[in-house]
Amino acid sequence: MVRTYSTERLLQALNHFFGYSAFRHTQLSVIQSILGGGDALAIMPTGGGKSVCYQLPAVLQPGIAIVISPLIALMKDQVDALLANGIRAAYLNSSQSNEEQQQVIIDAQNGDLKLLYIAPERIPAGSRQFFDFLRRINPSLFAIDEAHCISSWGHDFRPEYLKLAVLKKEFPTVPIVALTASADKVTQKDIVDRLELHNPNIFVSSFNRPNIHYHILPKKNAVGNIIEYIKRNPDDCGIIYALSRASTEEIASRLVDNGINAAAYHAGMDAVERSRVQEAFQKDEYKVIVATIAFGMGIDKSNVRFVIHHDVSKNIEGYYQETGRAGRDGLKSDALLFYSPGDIMKLRRFAQIDDNPQQSAISLRKLKLMQEYCEQEGCRRQYLMHYFGEQFPAYCGSCDYCLSSLEEKDATIDAQKILSAVVRTGERYGANYIVDFLRGSAAEKINPAHKELTTYGIGKGLKKDQWLWIVQQLVNGGYVYKSEDQYVTLSVTEKGWKILRGETQLRLVMKKAVKENQVATEPDYDIRLLEQLKSLRKEMAIAENVPAYAIVADSSLVELATYLPMSFDDMKLISGFGDYKVSRYGARFLDVIGKYATEHNAQSKMYFKKPKAARKEKSAKPVVGSTMDVSLGMLNDGLTIQQIAAERNLAESTIESHLAAFIAAGELDIDRVVTTEKKNAIIDIIKVTKQYVAAKPIKDLLSDEYTYGEIRMVLEHYKRLMR
Ligand code: ADP
Ligand code: ZN
């Protein structure tokens, strides 16, 4: 059965389950395509948000979405992250005991799951039993992650993926979505053919990763520079890539000697040790991993802040994929590469494969382009985008080239000077004359009458070539018309007049003046609050035995620290806080924020936060069937809060926070859960303290008989009265 979902409805669901306010890239189209029952191929850069493409359809549709994923470590993380959003998911792979696998199978058959992750080797080529199992659990869709693994054209062919062709044969009506971060045209076609997709919709997103800043540095004292970089960013975690196993160990031990919490990782280590290191990194127990390229595919850590290439990569695909492991949470991250031409020479020798001249030629060509990337004069990002077949302007503002030699600035005043000079001199001259006139040239060729104009000589501040450059930009942008007659003359267009009249501003990319002190802009949040939030998150992560970012991403904590939400409603406007996360973790975060706000006399800045698109019409009300809804149902059945807590094996404060959400939504009367006497006492204190967020300062002024939950419920009630 195909149901249609409006964009609003999907946005609302995205918001409810994942706490995001907008779809990224082609997410919306991919989701609509899946829900429409068709096959799809989605190509999205690493960190682009592929998972949501199948996770959202999975929760919206009846049945269980089957996700094929090659990496065991990644599966566990994805499942943890889903559970943290209140979505029932599990995985089946060889890391589990028989009993564990049996339990998952039982849960699946009971319909207790929305997503089931399966390793490709678990799909036997001709096993009736397995397909019968799948049929019983009613698959809503098949998502094939890292789909390029099915193609020998891709860079990571895995033969066990070939078996996946059987899915379409066995389940012709179940939509398949194939997802990958890297697939050129040939690989795309290969994926479609081998999975036997029917007329798939193909979605290709831009490869640009705007939050990653690319830097190439000369390879001199590279390890010393790396140490210095890490010490400047002591809280950040990152990956350092080196070519040989020996050098990963050597670099790691130098980092450790310098007090950095680092470990090496390479294919020469045994599997147990490798997964120990990987897991410790996921959990932030190691800050830095020094690895050969063997490390990373299984890394789904969203807060990797830097990727450093100690040695140049063999090709741009590999380099780009590795740098792409940084900044999946969307926050600014660095990609540093230490370049020496000598490294290229070394790699050239490896690129030659004796018995395969064709392959050697391809490898050498790719290496040459890698070299060109490192040595070229120009924007790094533009080069990368062109490499992947995308148009991109010459200035990105966030690579070493753009930062050191170009800058974008407001050029409105300079443009006005030029335009007014063009007009005042009668629109009869070319660029050279105009610039000389502006700079107050004493030359004979300047008409004496023009020397009397007030615009004469007002442009002494810039050099001639700088002025000429701006004139050129004005011509390119259509602000000035350049006649191609016998004499080149400039005249001001209608667009140009808008600048002259001050109706539009003009920003231009300009060559920077030589001196430049990079002054880091102050973050507009207090780093101490962020630290407190991080340590609370860490506590929660340890208690639940999941990586910290599975609780909430760094970017969400930064938003909390920036906007200081003061209520559950506020918190729902923070990206990454879906309804479930707000109900589960919200209260504890709010306490930290509220306490901080009181201590530092800080005000909430929620006012600046634009309403989330999906929440314009204020839908604080928890969704039917949610954990909150269950609590309310039990209350309506006549149970007390204590009884509900005991019955559900949850803390009383949790139940109270569930009920608080209904009070906030106007669906539950405060008098049903708090006595009038207590309610009035709490409201009195709220009025005195003017504290509308944190419960603690209010509790401190009341006797022990008042619980946090009661205070929170009255807070929500009071805020409703005030609206
Ligand atoms: P991929 O699998 O494409 O590498 P993920 O699915 O792991 O990427 O998503 C990368 C990060 O982006 C995750 O932290 C995810 O929660 C976040 N994310 C995904 N979609 C959105 C969205 N629409 N808005 C905000 N964050 C998102
Ligand atoms: Zn750039």
Side-chain angles (χ1 to χ4, degrees):
M1 183 188 59
V2 175
R3 277 170 50 192
T4 49
Y5 294 84
S6 66
T7 305
E8 279 93 323
R9 170 96 174 73
L10 293 175
L11 260 176
Q12 226 172 14
L14 178 78
N15 211 191
H16 168 68
F17 288 106
F18 300 98
Y20 302 139
S21 58
F23 287 104
R24 281 187 182 164
H25 295 284
T26 52
Q27 278 176 340
L28 178 62
S29 317
V30 178
I31 289 166
Q32 283 170 330
S33 161
I34 298 173
L35 291 173
D39 290 342
L41 168 61
I43 296 159
M44 222 181 260
T46 309
K50 285 185 283 298
S51 327
V52 165
C53 293
Y54 53 84
Q55 289 172 348
L56 196 64
V59 293
L60 290 176
Q61 291 181 301
I64 303 182
I66 308 296
V67 185
I68 313 292
S69 167
L71 298 143
I72 291 175
L74 201 99
M75 269 184 203
K76 182 172 177 328
D77 285 346
Q78 293 246 8
V79 167
D80 284 345
L82 285 164
L83 294 174
N85 272 323
I87 298 167
R88 289 156 301 152
Y91 58 86
L92 278 178
N93 66 38
S94 54
S95 75
Q96 293 163 306
S97 68
N98 273 339
E99 291 78 54
E100 284 170 323
Q101 301 199 22
Q102 271 314 313
Q103 188 55 50
V104 171
I105 288 171
I106 292 168
D107 289 346
Q109 290 178 347
N110 289 340
D112 279 345
L113 299 174
K114 288 319 291 177
L115 289 107
L116 177 61
Y117 286 73
I118 303 183
E121 55 273 13
R122 292 273 324 188
I123 300 199
S127 158
R128 276 292 105 213
Q129 210 192 347
F130 186 75
F131 293 119
D132 287 345
F133 161 67
L134 283 187
R135 243 180 282 282
R136 272 200 300 281
I137 65 175
N138 182 23
S140 55
L141 65 99
F142 293 105
I144 318 289
D145 210 0
E146 312 287 352
H148 60 274
C149 291
I150 202 173
S151 168
S152 43
W153 291 98
H155 53 83
D156 189 27
F157 176 57
R158 291 172 184 241
E160 66 270 21
Y161 258 66
L162 292 174
K163 284 183 304 194
L164 300 179
V166 73
L167 292 174
K168 194 85 248 179
K169 292 198 187 77
E170 293 283 334
F171 300 92
T173 58
V174 177
I176 295 185
V177 55
L179 309 111
T180 170
S182 56
D184 54 23
K185 281 259 153 36
V186 191
T187 316
Q188 285 175 27
K189 185 168 179 328
D190 221 21
I191 293 172
V192 170
D193 291 347
R194 293 189 184 216
L195 286 174
E196 302 186 16
L197 303 184
H198 290 327
N199 288 329
N201 291 312
I202 299 184
F203 302 95
V204 184
S205 306
S206 167
F207 268 61
N208 185 24
R209 298 282 310 276
N211 61 317
I212 300 184
H213 294 198
Y214 300 93
H215 294 266
I216 295 178
L217 305 149
K219 193 168 178 177
K220 266 185 250 147
N221 182 24
V223 179
N225 283 319
I226 291 173
I227 291 170
E228 203 181 295
Y229 173 87
I230 296 173
K231 292 206 159 156
R232 258 187 286 131
N233 303 282
D235 295 329
D236 293 352
C237 47
I239 307 171
I240 300 169
Y241 286 107
L243 269 183
S244 71
R245 295 173 187 184
S247 55
T248 60
E249 286 179 355
E250 197 185 305
I251 296 168
S253 81
R254 276 190 62 189
L255 297 188
V256 171
D257 290 346
N258 278 274
I260 295 163
N261 197 358
Y265 180 106
H266 56 71
M269 290 159 36
D270 70 51
V272 178
E273 178 62 2
R274 281 212 311 262
S275 63
R276 185 191 68 79
V277 171
Q278 177 154 331
E279 206 146 292
F281 181 58
Q282 301 267 34
K283 290 191 177 162
D284 285 347
E285 287 161 18
Y286 286 127
K287 285 274 179 198
V288 180
I289 298 296
V290 191
T292 53
I293 50 167
F295 185 77
M297 235 192 122
I299 286 297
D300 182 27
K301 192 170 157 63
S302 64
N303 65 341
V304 173
R305 286 276 76 80
F306 59 84
V307 167
I308 299 179
H309 282 85
H310 177 266
D311 304 300
V312 72
S313 308
K314 288 190 204 112
N315 54 51
I316 290 191
E317 286 94 336
Y319 164 78
Y320 198 65
Q321 195 176 37
E322 284 146 25
T323 57
R325 292 184 181 126
R328 295 169 70 137
D329 52 11
L331 297 180
K332 177 190 171 286
S333 308
D334 288 328
L336 270 46
L337 183 153
F338 288 91
Y339 174 70
S340 99
D343 281 354
I344 297 278
M345 306 302 283
K346 265 190 242 160
L347 285 175
R348 198 168 286 164
R349 286 199 293 276
F350 291 121
Q352 325 249 21
I353 310 163
D354 283 344
D355 51 1
N356 195 337
Q358 240 172 340
Q359 194 62 45
S360 306
I362 294 175
S363 303
L364 284 171
R365 166 101 190 111
K366 293 198 162 177
L367 182 60
K368 181 101 190 101
L369 294 172
M370 187 73 216
Q371 178 177 15
E372 189 178 284
Y373 167 72
C374 295
E375 293 180 355
Q376 61 136 5
E377 278 275 313
C379 171
R380 310 282 180 202
R381 191 182 305 275
Q382 184 189 42
Y383 188 95
L384 293 169
M385 290 305 101
H386 284 179
Y387 185 89
F388 293 111
E390 281 181 42
Q391 292 296 318
F392 202 83
Y395 175 78
C396 76
S398 52
C399 73
D400 60 304
Y401 181 81
C402 292
L403 285 171
S404 64
S405 47
L406 298 175
E407 66 185 335
E408 196 192 50
K409 43 181 212 193
D410 187 338
T412 312
I413 293 180
D414 289 336
Q416 284 172 338
K417 288 180 183 171
I418 292 169
L419 296 169
S420 111
V422 170
V423 173
R424 294 299 192 85
T425 55
E427 302 191 314
R428 281 184 287 129
Y429 298 89
N432 274 309
Y433 185 90
I434 297 295
V435 170
D436 287 340
F437 167 81
L438 273 177
R439 300 188 72 241
S441 160
E444 287 231 327
K445 71 166 186 183
I446 303 287
N447 180 334
H450 290 167
K451 290 185 180 168
E452 303 301 316
L453 296 170
T454 47
T455 14
Y456 175 67
I458 57 168
K460 289 192 175 121
L462 293 183
K463 295 210 183 88
K464 180 159 182 173
D465 64 338
Q466 289 174 306
W467 279 119
L468 285 172
W469 202 81
I470 303 175
V471 172
Q472 187 56 44
Q473 302 307 304
L474 289 174
V475 172
N476 293 349
Y479 301 99
V480 165
Y481 174 72
K482 186 171 163 186
S483 77
E484 299 295 336
D485 303 343
Q486 193 181 0
Y487 298 105
V488 174
T489 63
L490 303 178
S491 55
V492 177
T493 64
E494 190 39 48
K495 220 172 144 190
W497 273 103
K498 290 210 167 121
I499 294 181
L500 256 181
R501 292 194 297 257
E503 289 164 16
T504 40
Q505 302 273 308
L506 182 70
R507 293 190 71 79
L508 284 182
V509 174
M510 312 232 230
K511 279 222 152 58
K512 229 179 224 175
V514 189
K515 61 141 187 76
E516 184 60 38
N517 268 332
Q518 292 283 353
V519 187
T521 47
E522 279 296 313
D524 46 7
Y525 56 84
D526 190 325
I527 199 86
R528 288 167 301 183
L529 174 56
L530 186 65
E531 290 310 320
Q532 290 176 20
L533 295 170
K534 277 191 180 168
S535 64
L536 171 60
R537 179 181 63 172
K538 188 156 193 184
E539 248 171 61
M540 295 169 166
I542 291 169
E544 299 187 15
N545 194 26
V546 295
Y549 60 82
I551 306 279
V552 282
D554 280 14
S555 49
S556 302
L557 294 187
V558 169
E559 280 205 17
L560 290 183
T562 306
Y563 297 107
L564 308 183
M566 296 283 166
S567 67
F568 288 133
D569 277 1
D570 282 356
M571 195 163 230
K572 287 179 185 169
L573 300 177
I574 300 293
S575 180
F577 277 96
D579 292 349
Y580 181 81
K581 275 194 183 159
V582 171
S583 79
R584 180 152 174 185
Y585 306 118
R588 295 182 66 192
F589 281 118
L590 285 181
D591 275 348
V592 169
I593 295 167
K595 191 150 167 276
Y596 170 89
T598 328
E599 277 168 11
H600 296 88
N601 204 11
Q603 298 291 321
S604 169
K605 284 183 265 179
M606 285 306 290
Y607 177 77
F608 294 104
K609 182 118 184 92
K610 276 199 237 124
K612 278 188 181 182
R615 287 226 157 86
K616 279 201 190 100
E617 8 64 288
K618 198 100 196 102
S619 65
K621 192 186 137 217
V623 168
V624 177
S626 69
T627 177
M628 296 162 138
D629 199 28
V630 172
S631 298
L632 180 66
M634 293 170 81
L635 185 82
N636 287 338
D637 289 344
L639 273 70
T640 65
I641 290 173
Q642 290 79 4
Q643 287 165 335
I644 300 172
E647 185 87 1
R648 302 197 62 194
N649 202 14
L650 291 168
E652 278 178 37
S653 62
T654 305
I655 307 300
E656 287 167 333
S657 71
H658 292 170
L659 298 177
F662 289 98
I663 292 171
E667 300 239 332
L668 175 63
D669 188 355
I670 186 74
D671 296 326
R672 286 184 55 197
V673 280
V674 181
T675 63
T676 316
E677 190 195 332
K678 278 188 163 181
K679 179 184 77 179
N680 291 339
I682 296 171
I683 291 181
D684 285 343
I685 305 274
I686 296 175
K687 285 182 181 157
V688 175
T689 57
K690 296 202 171 22
Q691 177 63 62
Y692 308 118
V693 190
K696 178 138 187 1
I698 298 169
K699 178 143 172 50
D700 288 345
L701 295 174
L702 289 160
S703 70
D704 285 348
E705 287 153 44
Y706 292 79
T707 67
Y708 275 114
E710 287 169 333
I711 296 170
R712 248 175 237 125
M713 291 191 290
V714 174
L715 269 169
E716 295 299 344
H717 163 73
Y718 183 75
K719 280 188 295 183
R720 249 193 97 68
L721 290 182
M722 295 295 100
R723 279 214 286 267

